[in-house]
Amino acid sequence: MKPKHQRLVLGLLAVGAVAGASALALSALKDQAAFFYAPGDVKKAGLPLGRAVRLGGMVANGSIAKQADGVTINFTVTDGVATVPVRFAGITPDLFKENSGVVAEGQFQPDGSFVATNLLAKHDERYMPPEMAGKLHETKTLIQ
């Protein structure tokens, strides 16, 4: 076999090996990937039943209801287009409150509700720790 053909065969084997490794990695991640949905997306496309997804939006005003067991809460997530009722059993993040952003990880139920296994509270981009806000306020006062 000529050296030119050997290089071609080795190059094709390398490309095949990379393609095979990529295919294996993608098939392994397919089951682990959690897709993100907003309530409006669910309204348009239907419920993605039987797989782990993330539901994101705002906690609707007046929708947080704590159950008698002290651990379970029910609330509603909205994006201004649609709403989805959510049930979560566990400790909520400190930033979790009404009219704030939330990402809930879990699964949709056939009745259209969402059972969350994890909550991630979101804050706005202008967030500043109270200590820094106080120092910034003092600095502005001194400059003026």
Side-chain angles (χ1 to χ4, degrees), residues 63-126:
S63 69
I64 298 176
K66 296 186 180 190
Q67 300 301 314
D69 64 4
V71 180
T72 305
I73 61 167
N74 293 331
F75 60 96
T76 304
V77 174
T78 183
D79 62 354
V81 176
T83 61
V84 174
V86 179
R87 184 177 73 238
F88 174 70
I91 299 172
T92 60
D94 291 338
L95 294 175
F96 179 78
K97 59 184 178 182
E98 295 173 348
N99 296 319
S100 68
V102 67
V103 175
E105 298 175 341
Q107 290 188 346
F108 281 98
Q109 302 301 305
D111 64 355
S113 66
F114 189 82
V115 175
T117 56
N118 191 20
L119 286 183
L120 304 169
K122 295 170 50 179
H123 58 77
D124 66 3
E125 291 78 25
R126 299 175 310 232

